Amino acid sequence: MSDTLIEVAHVFKRVQDAAGELTILHDISFRLRAGESVAIVGASGSGKSTLLSLLAGLDLPSDGRVQLRGQDLFAIDEDARAALRAREIGFVFQSFQLLAHLTALENVMLPLELRGVRDARAQATRMLERVGLGGRLGRYPRVLSGGEQQRVALARAFVQRPALLLADEPTGSLDFATGAQVMDLMFELNQESGTTLVLVTHDPALAARCERQLCIEAGRLFESAALQEE
């Protein structure tokens, strides 16, 4: 498939615990097209976050292959994977993961500066204005609300125009109304940028906003038949 961004082929993840070997993911295979939105759903402990870590090359599979733009993530070393993540992948976490000693502007500038982008300040400023935080550029995370912190996290993720955005329970730390506003913004930004979105969520309504739903049960992957209507 020429438009395939991510290909996961026969991935297993096994770990050792006190009772012996535990299989967290069992023979996972799927493809993601460039620009599509996909929700990964399932009960706590089903392997959703582990799968997200494998897609990012942050964790290693026991068997199988994950390819991003045709590059096998586990055929290269960690330094090369880190460079690939910096170029291609954005992250949004439940706990925001902002650096407390940096301002909102500095948090959004950081990934651009690490890539040597010359107008990092201007790009970060425009993105923070886009998410409604043009008046909060110099504020530190500790004085921002949860919703504002997640908007900074969205700005940081999208400012690089990543090919792939991985969002792990992005509304989990927010109240319902704030979470709904943040998710509206995330889907708007995703559509504007043409990014492939992979969203891990417990929220069926949120999952239904994605074009596809992949369900993990006991480490096995099933595609939901209930797709979002056009």
Side-chain angles (χ1 to χ4, degrees), residues 200-219:
V200 167
T201 182
H202 286 97
D203 184 347
L206 187 54
R209 297 183 64 173
C210 294
E211 294 168 309
R212 295 167 59 196
Q213 296 179 38
L214 303 177
C215 181
I216 298 183
E217 296 179 5

Side-chain angles (χ1 to χ4, degrees), residues 176-226:
F176 178 80
T178 302
Q181 293 171 357
V182 166
M183 293 314 301
D184 285 345
L185 180 60
M186 189 182 80
F187 279 102
E188 288 174 13
L189 292 169
N190 192 66
Q191 186 160 8
E192 290 172 10
S193 63
T195 299
T196 297
L197 170 64
V198 180
L199 170 65
V200 167
T201 182
H202 286 97
D203 184 347
L206 187 54
R209 297 183 64 173
C210 294
E211 294 168 309
R212 295 167 59 196
Q213 296 179 38
L214 303 177
C215 181
I216 298 183
E217 296 179 5
R220 297 177 185 271
L221 192 70
F222 305 90
E223 182 147 7
S224 171

Side-chain angles (χ1 to χ4, degrees), residues 67-105:
Q67 291 184 316
L68 175 61
R69 294 195 192 275
Q71 171 66 65
D72 186 340
L73 293 181
F74 307 110
I76 56 178
D77 63 24
E78 176 51 37
D79 287 343
R81 281 196 297 275
L84 187 65
R85 280 193 294 273
R87 292 194 309 270
E88 303 282 8
I89 304 176
F91 298 90
V92 179
F93 302 97
Q94 176 177 338
S95 56
F96 317 133
Q97 297 291 330
L98 301 178
L99 295 178
H101 65 285
L102 298 182
T103 65
L105 180 60

